[in-house]
Amino acid sequence: MAIFTVISDLDPSDSRLANAIKRSPPEVLQWYELPRGEFLVSYKGTSVELSNYLGISEGQNGSGIVIAVASYWGRASTDTWEWIKTHWEGQ
């Protein structure tokens, strides 16, 4: 599965996109919520397919951006690094 970053373009009080991610079965996608409400998502498909699945493309769950992760570096919590490492190795 590839790793994507999903960023909502909604008001923080609008949880439609977050709910769509969180209620997805783990065999379809796995997710990790970052402190400011963005999500790291492991999904077998393309960014377009993930956008369609989450209801972003047609606006059913609001608007947002899906970005495929090609590499990573930086400083984050241990939990964040462990999630990335676990799902990155599965690619």
Side-chain angles (χ1 to χ4, degrees):
M1 291 192 186
I3 296 177
F4 300 88
T5 303
V6 179
I7 304 168
S8 176
D9 192 28
L10 301 171
D11 183 280
S13 65
D14 189 333
S15 60
R16 290 179 292 163
L17 182 54
N19 289 338
I21 293 169
K22 291 177 180 180
R23 71 174 174 254
S24 296
E27 61 273 9
V28 175
L29 66 80
Q30 292 155 19
W31 55 271
Y32 181 84
E33 188 169 7
L34 296 168
R36 294 188 200 151
E38 303 90 352
F39 287 85
L40 296 175
V41 173
S42 179
Y43 178 77
K44 186 176 183 176
T46 67
S47 54
V48 172
E49 292 167 337
L50 179 55
S51 179
N52 292 341
Y53 175 79
L54 293 174
I56 295 171
S57 299
E58 297 296 324
Q60 300 98 317
N61 290 316
S63 59
I65 302 168
V66 177
I67 303 167
V69 177
S71 66
Y72 62 92
W73 191 258
R75 182 176 297 270
S77 71
T78 302
D79 290 343
T80 302
W81 288 117
E82 288 177 3
W83 190 94
I84 292 171
K85 183 177 186 293
T86 298
H87 293 84
W88 194 269
E89 291 172 350
Q91 293 193 63

